[in-house]
Amino acid sequence: MASGDVKAQPTKATTTEEEEEETTISRRARHTIQKNDFLSTYASVALGNPFHPEDNPEGIINMGTALNHLMDEEMQARLQERDGLRYDRQFQHYYELSGTKHVRRSVADFLKRRFCPERNVDPENVVVLNGVASCLDALGHAICDPGDVLITPTPVYGRIFSNFRERALVDVRGLDTTEQTDAEGKSFSLRPDALERKIQELLGEGKRVKGIILVHPHNPMGDFYSKTLLLEILQVCKRYKLHVVVDEIYALSIFQDPETFVSTLALNSATPDPERVHFVWGLTKDLVLAGFRVGVVHSLNKDVITCLKRISTFQCTPSIIQNAAATIMNDKDWFDGFFLPTNRRKLGDAYRNTRQRLEEMGFQVREGKAGFFLWVSAKAFMKENTKEAELELFEAIFKKGVYIVPGSQLYCVSPGWFRLIFTIPPEKLEVGLAKIKSALDERRK
Ligand SMILES: Cc1ncc(COP(=O)(O)O)c(C=O)c1O
């Protein structure tokens, strides 16, 4: 497929009566397949036609899917050690699907070591499921009834909406933040009073507001919330008896000031309503193991944990993988002493290099400290300041063979923003940046 063949499709929101009568599937299924899922669609197109300098030079350079390839070799070498991806006959049989005792113990020790050294983590409060998306889906099932509302600050990783909506039928609503800078000069900042207004507005419309979802560190901003702001937000949520789901999937991929990051796990007794705060993490990003499908939920809410254990039958991580995950989490010397600092250094170098190159091209970059992405304004290259012009620029770059994500697909209300992944293999990054530059140069002409 040529790189220009996929178009950013508008979402078809309604089903006609004839379609409903014709259908062989549920309304829920129809709704799922009708919703345009930009990130998944383009991720599969890019996966199906990957760029290769000799074999497929017209293929797509994927600077849209948040993967970190900078540590592939280091992880491969560790897993290929004797105790890495080990086979044992017990893996052929049933096991504790929501995380074996050994694995939950390892996760609990790891979380204490890396997220909250001053607090003990009880393995009984931990559940392991097949990836973070799966954890979010399961939490949606556990804390919401169909039609209940969860609020999340936007722009945000677009599949946060689908993860809660597709199966748990949660009505996820965005709390728009904008490019306008606040008193501290920060754009896209979340304000507790704006959150409270949004809650009141939705309650006023008769909605059953059940909670909020935070991504911390944030995707696509690459920023994280301060402890003060986190506590203020948790206080607002407590006042309205709201759950707080905190997705910390990038917590160990912070390359700038990592010591200033405060996990919700580390808030301890300061947490205003502890039974309504649910922490989510996984191996996907911080251990570059997206293919392993290991996600973790920590919750002090016994009913939530019991429910997640019950439904883990449908979304469990195979025990052979759980076991390998435990081995690398338990290897303190290797992870803390080698993998984590090497990853931080490589992320920081790649971020600074890519940032400089994009700024030289004329992009405006919002400061990031974590994750695999740069959040950039490309207004300078747009004919007008609209979503249509943003998508037009996206198409021009995609036609050159580079996939980057337009902000509107991440629910950004300010047009002209894009998310670019800088953690692809360096040789591909070079070609990708050159192709983007050539797309922009052609527009300048
Ligand atoms: C914030 C966030 N949450 C969840 C996910 C999905 O993680 P997983 O592949 O473990 O389901 C991603 C992947 O990009 C993400 O960025």
Side-chain angles (χ1 to χ4, degrees), residues 255-403:
F255 48 85
Q256 184 71 46
D257 309 327
E259 66 291 346
T260 58
F261 173 79
V262 178
S263 162
T264 39
L265 278 183
L267 295 174
N268 289 330
S269 54
T271 309
D273 193 356
E275 291 204 5
R276 285 199 178 84
V277 178
H278 316 289
F279 161 96
V280 186
W281 178 76
L283 268 56
T284 304
K285 311 293 179 182
D286 292 345
L287 284 102
V288 298
L289 287 171
F292 268 36
R293 313 311 300 143
V294 179
V296 168
V297 176
H298 175 278
S299 175
L300 296 179
N301 189 316
K302 295 281 174 235
D303 288 339
V304 166
I305 291 292
T306 306
C307 176
L308 298 194
K309 284 188 171 170
R310 192 69 63 84
I311 62 177
S312 66
T313 316
F314 308 114
Q315 42 208 92
C316 51
T317 307
S319 57
I320 189 166
I321 296 288
Q322 289 195 26
N323 207 60
T327 303
I328 49 180
M329 281 189 276
N330 288 339
D331 192 346
K332 183 169 181 287
D333 288 346
W334 177 80
F335 185 80
D336 295 14
F338 167 68
F339 187 90
L340 182 64
T342 310
N343 190 26
R344 276 187 183 145
R345 180 178 51 72
K346 286 194 182 188
L347 287 173
D349 289 348
Y351 170 83
R352 283 183 291 274
N353 167 40
T354 317
R355 177 178 180 162
Q356 190 187 341
R357 305 276 297 279
L358 291 171
E359 283 175 340
E360 282 164 7
M361 282 184 220
F363 286 97
Q364 185 207 324
V365 179
R366 186 188 185 275
E367 182 81 41
K369 301 174 173 177
F372 312 153
F373 21 76
L374 285 137
W375 181 237
V376 305
S377 166
K379 285 193 206 313
F381 312 109
M382 286 164 38
K383 294 189 186 107
E384 51 186 36
N385 193 22
T386 60
K387 179 179 164 184
E388 288 69 33
E390 175 190 298
L391 290 177
E392 202 240 318
L393 178 58
F394 161 78
E395 289 291 346
I397 294 175
F398 194 69
K399 277 209 181 84
K400 286 277 171 195
V402 184
Y403 164 44

Side-chain angles (χ1 to χ4, degrees), residues 123-236:
E124 293 308 310
N125 299 328
V126 168
V127 167
V128 177
L129 298 174
N130 61 339
V132 167
S134 183
C135 294
L136 300 176
D137 165 71
L139 278 169
H141 178 92
I143 62 178
C144 292
D145 288 305
D148 285 355
V149 170
L150 292 177
I151 300 169
T152 194
T154 52
V156 73
Y157 166 61
R159 283 203 52 84
I160 286 290
F161 281 72
S162 12
N163 289 338
F164 286 93
R165 192 163 53 195
E166 284 175 352
R167 298 201 315 167
L169 303 181
V170 177
D171 180 3
V172 182
R173 298 295 180 106
L175 166 60
D176 297 333
T177 66
T178 72
E179 62 192 357
Q180 252 75 55
T181 46
D182 63 13
E184 288 158 30
K186 258 196 170 182
S187 53
F188 299 103
S189 55
L190 171 61
R191 293 174 49 120
D193 55 339
L195 172 63
E196 184 148 20
R197 274 201 304 280
K198 185 77 186 178
I199 296 167
Q200 286 172 350
E201 177 194 311
L202 288 163
L203 291 173
E205 290 170 16
K207 303 285 179 205
R208 298 185 308 266
V209 182
K210 279 293 172 65
I212 70 162
I213 313 149
L214 295 179
V215 180
H216 172 64
H218 195 269
N219 174 1
M221 241 81 77
D223 205 349
F224 41 85
Y225 301 114
S226 68
K227 181 176 179 182
T228 314
L229 181 57
L230 266 184
L231 286 171
E232 282 172 1
I233 289 172
L234 293 182
Q235 278 299 351
V236 172

Side-chain angles (χ1 to χ4, degrees), residues 417-435:
W417 289 82
F418 287 82
R419 189 189 76 172
L420 279 84
I421 308 301
F422 62 83
T423 45
I424 63 173
E427 60 288 358
K428 284 195 183 166
L429 184 71
E430 284 307 316
V431 184
L433 290 175
K435 284 179 184 250

